[in-house]
Amino acid sequence: MSSAHSAVPTAGSAPSPSSTSSTVSSSASAAGAAPTIAELLEFVRRTARNEALIASLPLDPEGRTWIRLDGPGGSEAWLIGWPPGTGTGWHDHADSIGAFTTAAGALKEHSLAVRLPTDGWRTLELTDGVDRSRELATGQGRAFGQNHVHEVLNESEDVHAVSVHAYYPPLPRIRRFSRTGAVLRLEQTENPGDWQ
């Protein structure tokens, strides 16, 4: 892995912390309580407005880059750079809630309005009407609940995007999927040891 914290852009690897990662302080939830979805969304929006932090992220034309952040109430948070034409691939965040905001450029999110079975399946045929798409320009974000299935893309041909993400509890696993038409296939399950 390079010193620019890059990841393979098409594999959608979860960012990995490094010894040079920066931290951003956040106001913790009351008395150590778990942060709410609204608090995660407020954190990513506030952090996305931190111009000095956004400018500190090294950008790589070949792969995504990241800095681990100090999220609210013990959440896992990341500042991520997206070269033109990169994306995560289809994935979920298991039992974690989360939020993300575009800090520079624009991102597109494709998501599924369906709750997938947690275990015991490899292939699933999706019904009509479950697909959702949204453009997230600079300053726009969204929050999501547990088992949210999506892919995030920088569809620009020439402009990097930067985003801020937060998850609580810290990601217990990520399931990665492939999709052909209406068929979603579970390809891999990653655990924290795979990205930390």
Side-chain angles (χ1 to χ4, degrees), residues 11-165:
S13 298
S16 302
S18 87
S19 58
T20 59
S21 293
S22 298
T23 60
V24 172
S25 296
S26 65
S27 57
S29 298
T36 65
I37 289 177
E39 289 170 328
L40 294 178
L41 185 58
E42 192 278 326
F43 166 80
V44 297
R45 285 179 171 162
R46 184 179 69 248
T47 304
R49 292 188 301 267
N50 182 333
E51 293 178 13
L53 175 67
I54 303 311
S56 75
L57 178 67
L59 300 178
D60 181 337
E62 301 299 320
R64 290 189 298 151
T65 54
W66 51 80
I67 297 173
R68 181 124 189 205
L69 307 175
D70 179 18
S75 62
E76 181 173 340
W78 300 93
L79 176 65
I80 301 177
W82 307 74
T86 60
T88 61
W90 287 97
H91 66 283
D92 72 4
H93 308 99
D95 295 326
S96 295
I97 59 172
F100 70 99
T101 293
T102 304
L107 293 171
K108 182 169 216 173
E109 181 197 38
H110 299 291
S111 61
L112 300 177
V114 63
R115 186 172 179 115
L116 300 180
T118 55
D119 292 303
W121 66 280
R122 296 293 298 173
T123 303
L124 189 67
E125 187 160 348
L126 301 170
T127 59
D128 289 339
V130 299
D131 286 291
R132 304 288 184 268
S133 289
R134 68 178 72 201
E135 298 279 344
L136 298 166
T138 299
Q140 294 181 324
R142 66 149 314 163
F144 51 84
Q146 297 175 327
N147 302 300
H148 178 69
V149 179
H150 70 167
E151 67 174 347
V152 180
L153 309 161
N154 178 3
E155 294 184 325
S156 173
E157 295 181 6
D158 55 7
V159 177
H160 260 83
V162 177
S163 57
V164 181
H165 302 247

